[in-house]
Amino acid sequence: MPPLDCERIWLDYKDRVSGYIFSHVSNKEDAQDLISSVFAKLVQAASSYRGDPKHVSSFVYRTTQNLVIDYYRCKKNLNELPETIKAASAVEDDYFKQETLDRLAEALERLPKFERDIIVLHYYKSLSLHKISERMQKNYEKIKWAHRRALAFLKNKFKNFEL
C-alpha cells in the first residue's frame, strides 16, 4: 500500500478542517494551533496508516474532532463545551454525512438497474415489497430475493467504512 500523500491531504482538507475548528473554538490563535496539530498528527501517522487511502477522510475528521474535545478538556471549560461535541458518538457532522452519501451513491450506481430500482422504491418512496412487485409486475419472491441481494451488496460496500 503506498504511503499517504500528506501534501495532497492538506490541500484537500485544510478548508474543511479549518471551518470545523473555527466554528467550535472562538480563540483564533488556539484554533490555528489545533489546525496545525491535526496535520502534524497526520504526518506522524502517515507511515503507519493501514486503512484505505481513499478513506483517509474518516481519520482526518475524527482527529479534528478529538483535538477540539481535548482542547476543551485541557482548558477545563467543560461547561463551554458545545453539546454537539460532548457526545462524540452522537455528532452528525456534515462532513461525515456527505462522505456517507457519496459512498452510498457510488454503491447504488454499481447495482444492476432492477435491484437499484427496488432499493429506491422501498427506502426512498416507502413502498412495501408487495407494492413494488405489483408496480413492476414481477413475482413477490423475485422482488424479495433481489432486495436481499442488493442489501448484501451494499452492506459489503460499507463493511470497512468507518465514521
Side-chain angles (χ1 to χ4, degrees):
M1 190 175 302
L4 294 178
D5 181 356
C6 293
E7 184 176 348
R8 177 85 255 150
I9 294 168
W10 164 256
L11 293 172
D12 289 347
Y13 293 97
K14 70 178 178 180
D15 292 336
R16 289 179 260 180
V17 167
S18 298
Y20 181 86
I21 291 174
F22 278 115
S23 72
H24 288 88
V25 177
S26 57
N27 183 304
K28 183 179 179 181
E29 290 79 20
D30 288 344
Q32 290 171 336
D33 288 343
L34 288 172
I35 293 165
S36 297
S37 296
V38 168
F39 291 102
K41 285 190 177 283
L42 176 67
V43 170
Q44 288 173 341
S47 62
S48 62
Y49 182 77
R50 302 211 188 288
D52 187 341
K54 290 188 241 174
H55 307 301
V56 73
S57 62
S58 296
F59 173 78
V60 172
Y61 298 135
R62 182 60 62 199
T63 300
T64 302
Q65 187 179 52
N66 288 341
L67 283 172
V68 171
I69 291 168
D70 290 347
Y71 166 79
Y72 280 102
R73 284 186 187 138
C74 291
K75 291 288 191 178
K76 298 194 189 252
N77 289 339
L78 292 178
N79 292 337
E80 293 178 30
L81 190 62
E83 284 297 319
T84 57
I85 296 177
K86 284 184 182 177
S89 64
V91 172
E92 293 183 2
D93 196 58
D94 287 341
Y95 305 120
F96 296 115
K97 286 182 195 176
Q98 188 60 48
E99 171 115 3
T100 303
L101 289 174
D102 291 346
R103 293 267 319 238
L104 180 58
E106 179 183 313
L108 284 170
E109 285 297 317
R110 292 184 177 178
L111 281 172
K113 182 177 178 353
F114 178 69
E115 291 175 11
R116 182 174 53 243
D117 289 347
I118 292 170
I119 294 296
V120 169
L121 289 170
H122 188 63
Y123 292 101
Y124 295 104
K125 300 290 185 176
S126 300
L127 293 179
S128 70
L129 295 180
H130 284 290
K131 291 283 184 193
I132 294 170
S133 71
E134 290 171 11
R135 182 183 255 189
M136 296 178 95
Q137 299 177 340
K138 301 285 184 189
N139 180 309
Y140 169 74
E141 291 300 319
K142 183 175 183 170
I143 297 294
K144 190 167 85 170
W145 176 80
H147 176 255
R148 284 187 187 155
R149 196 170 73 196
L151 287 180
F153 175 82
L154 294 171
K155 182 178 179 181
N156 185 47
K157 288 294 177 194
F158 280 85
K159 182 173 39 181
N160 296 321
F161 185 61
E162 296 177 24
L163 286 180

